[in-house]
Amino acid sequence: MKNLLFIIPFIFSFKANTVQFPVQKAYPEARELNIESIKKTKVLVFLNRTCPCTQQNIPYLNKLAKEFPEIDFIGVHSKKGGTLQEIKEVVEVYKPEFPVIDDNNLVIANLLKANRTPQAFILNENNEVLYNGGVTDRTNPTNAGKTYLKNALAEVSSHKEITEKETRSLGCVIIR
């Protein structure tokens, strides 16, 4: 069976830390998602079905998405050669309450230089990276001492500059 994933040809560039993304299919509903067209603050979180850290962080990310409804959350399943079935398993088993897009060719991971799952990026309405780093300071957020992503989101929501723009990401390596 041919790959069900249809990716429109894309152009990417960096302009003063601004990123242009390809249009991709988003699951669970398999609709096209154009990150470029989301003209508000968004969080891209890199995920991988087989990563225990991803599995432990999805419930926490769901809570953050509810706590910050004015910000769009998007999961990016980054696994070289990953399959549609793997994304469906992430959605069905771990139940992210936000769309998950496929990055089986690592285009988005390479654009943002993501290296771990889960790793989070906050982008403004112009796709400028405001934050890059870990969700928390632990692989399991229930044991976290520092809530990096939540702190950054609170600052963005309060129209403040993010204090810690880059933090250490813990989790599974995105293999290239």
Side-chain angles (χ1 to χ4, degrees):
M1 185 167 162
K2 289 186 178 181
N3 188 350
L4 298 175
L5 194 59
F6 177 73
I7 301 174
I8 295 175
F10 61 91
I11 299 172
F12 60 92
S13 66
F14 289 91
K15 292 183 209 170
N17 217 13
T18 299
V19 182
Q20 292 183 348
F21 297 95
V23 175
Q24 301 205 235
K25 293 286 186 180
Y27 298 88
E29 59 275 337
R31 64 181 168 84
E32 283 190 349
L33 178 67
N34 181 353
I35 296 170
E36 293 284 317
S37 69
I38 301 171
K39 296 299 180 190
K40 63 186 214 176
T41 303
K42 58 205 136 294
V43 175
L44 287 134
V45 180
F46 287 82
L47 310 170
N48 184 316
R49 177 187 60 86
T50 59
C51 176
C53 303
T54 290
Q55 298 162 8
Q56 294 171 352
N57 274 271
I58 288 177
Y60 179 71
L61 291 166
N62 286 340
K63 287 179 187 175
L64 289 179
K66 286 179 185 170
E67 189 172 335
F68 298 96
E70 71 280 8
I71 297 173
D72 280 355
F73 280 66
I74 302 164
V76 182
H77 188 266
S78 283
K79 180 181 176 191
K80 190 172 186 172
T83 66
L84 174 62
Q85 184 58 38
E86 290 175 311
I87 296 172
K88 285 182 177 180
E89 287 175 23
V90 167
V91 170
E92 291 170 4
V93 176
Y94 303 106
K95 305 199 182 321
E97 296 173 6
F98 44 85
V100 178
I101 60 176
D102 187 15
D103 190 30
N104 69 0
N105 53 9
L106 304 180
V107 169
I108 298 171
N110 289 337
L111 281 171
L112 292 172
K113 297 182 176 118
N115 57 20
R116 301 250 176 212
T117 61
Q119 182 172 355
F121 291 81
I122 300 175
L123 289 85
N124 68 11
E125 61 279 354
N126 298 317
N127 293 319
E128 297 168 329
V129 177
L130 304 177
Y131 172 80
N132 165 14
V135 175
T136 67
D137 66 344
R138 300 281 189 261
T139 56
N140 185 334
T142 59
N143 302 325
K146 294 183 180 180
T147 54
Y148 300 132
L149 180 58
K150 182 177 181 176
N151 296 346
L153 290 170
E155 290 172 330
V156 166
S157 292
S158 298
H159 306 288
K160 296 179 182 174
E161 188 167 337
I162 295 174
T163 307
E164 288 187 274
K165 295 180 188 325
E166 192 166 333
T167 63
R168 183 174 172 219
S169 295
L170 301 172
C172 302
V173 173
I174 298 174
I175 299 172
R176 290 181 160 73

